[in-house]
């Protein structure tokens, strides 16, 4: 009786969680946010003790009689579906999918073509020039490309971000380039950006 009561409380608890308060990022093909999205979900899985649903250590075929586990698994699948864009959902949705199945499908969508995405983003990142862009717009484009590279396993170092930002600056900021380059200790990317702003 106690175990049944505990299972009922657990199932109700997971069904009532508003995942948007724990994962404030909607995964989208057009936004380089896979790393942020998956990190927030990983934190939620740890926080709520749900790693066995996503890490592949549990064979769901052995759980077909465990109604409570299956209900919690279905609740987590609904969390995943709620935090992805319509395009991502259409690419991965399957009837009666498990959390492990959905999580793996999403991961493959974003990391499966990592080399192709890196091949596109890397030259664009290194050739980006400020031109007539405001510093904030230039920063946003650099950050978007760097985030894309990070998502595909090719992260740009802090030093690389500073160097690339300085190399692409409009020539009217030449005096700023010198100041940032001679700073001791060296400026971080955020410090250099704030200095430019």
């Amino acid at each position: 009786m106690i175990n049944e009561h505990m299972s009922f409380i657990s199932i109700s608890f997971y069904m009532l969680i508003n995942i948007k308060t724990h994962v404030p990022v909607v995964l989208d093909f057009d936004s380089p946010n896979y790393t942020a999205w998956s990190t927030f979900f990983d934190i939620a899985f740890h926080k709520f003790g749900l790693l066995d649903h996503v890490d592949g250590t549990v064979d769901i075929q052995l759980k077909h009689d465990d109604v409570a586990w299956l209900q919690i698994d279905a609740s987590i699948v609904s969390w995943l579906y709620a935090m992805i864009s319509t395009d991502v959902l259409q690419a991965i949705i399957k009837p009666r999918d498990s959390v492990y199945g959905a999580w793996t499908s999403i991961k493959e969508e974003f990391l499966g073509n990592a080399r192709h995405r890196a091949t596109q983003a890397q030259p664009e990142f290194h050739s980006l020039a400020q031109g007539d862009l405001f510093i904030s717009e230039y920063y946003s484009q650099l950050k978007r490309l760097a985030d894309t590279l990070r998502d595909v396993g090719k992260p740009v170092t802090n030093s690389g971000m500073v160097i690339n930002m300085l190399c692409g600056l409009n020539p009217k900021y030449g005096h700023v380039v010198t100041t940032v380059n001679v700073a001791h200790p060296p400026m971080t990317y955020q410090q250099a950006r704030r200095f430019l702003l």
Side-chain angles (χ1 to χ4, degrees):
M1 183 68 177
I2 292 174
N3 286 339
E4 288 176 12
H5 183 64
M6 292 291 282
S7 295
F8 178 74
I9 290 171
S10 298
I11 295 164
S12 298
F13 172 75
Y14 293 115
M15 288 180 173
L16 294 174
I17 290 173
N18 178 2
I19 196 60
K20 292 179 182 182
T21 62
H22 302 280
V23 182
V25 176
V26 174
L27 184 62
D28 194 327
F29 285 128
D30 296 328
S31 301
N33 61 1
Y34 174 75
T35 299
W37 179 88
S38 60
T39 299
F40 278 117
F41 261 110
D42 187 59
I43 291 167
F45 295 147
H46 277 85
K47 189 185 319 184
F48 298 120
L50 299 170
L51 283 175
D52 63 327
H53 288 265
V54 75
D55 63 8
T57 57
V58 172
D59 182 351
I60 196 166
Q61 300 304 320
L62 301 177
K63 292 287 190 178
H64 69 275
D65 289 329
D66 190 340
V67 176
W69 196 90
L70 292 172
Q71 285 179 314
I72 292 169
D73 202 69
S75 295
I76 304 167
V77 170
S78 69
W79 295 354
L80 294 175
Y81 288 174
M83 300 310 298
I84 58 179
S85 70
T86 303
D87 289 343
V88 177
L89 181 63
Q90 288 174 346
I92 64 99
I93 193 167
K94 295 176 191 165
R96 301 183 65 87
D97 204 357
S98 66
V99 173
Y100 180 72
W103 183 258
T104 302
S105 295
I106 293 167
K107 184 176 180 180
E108 287 173 359
E109 281 293 324
F110 284 85
L111 301 183
N113 62 352
R115 182 172 290 177
H116 173 70
R117 290 174 64 205
T119 301
Q120 289 181 319
Q122 218 155 28
E124 190 178 349
F125 175 77
H126 291 296
S127 64
L128 185 65
Q130 180 188 1
D132 295 328
L133 295 173
F134 291 113
I135 288 292
S136 57
E137 294 170 325
Y138 176 54
Y139 165 80
S140 294
Q141 289 193 23
L142 274 173
K143 182 77 166 67
R144 177 183 57 81
L145 290 166
D147 288 349
T148 298
L149 289 168
R150 179 203 60 214
D151 282 354
V152 297
K154 301 290 181 186
V156 181
T157 64
N158 184 69
S159 175
M161 288 290 289
V162 173
I163 291 167
N164 212 72
M165 181 175 69
L166 296 177
C167 286
L169 276 176
N170 187 306
K172 70 181 179 183
Y173 288 101
H175 62 288
V176 174
V177 173
T178 303
T179 303
V180 173
N181 278 331
V182 300
H184 287 289
M187 287 190 190
T188 65
Y189 181 59
Q190 293 296 335
Q191 289 169 333
R193 175 182 172 267
R194 284 194 299 269
F195 183 72
L196 284 164
L197 287 171

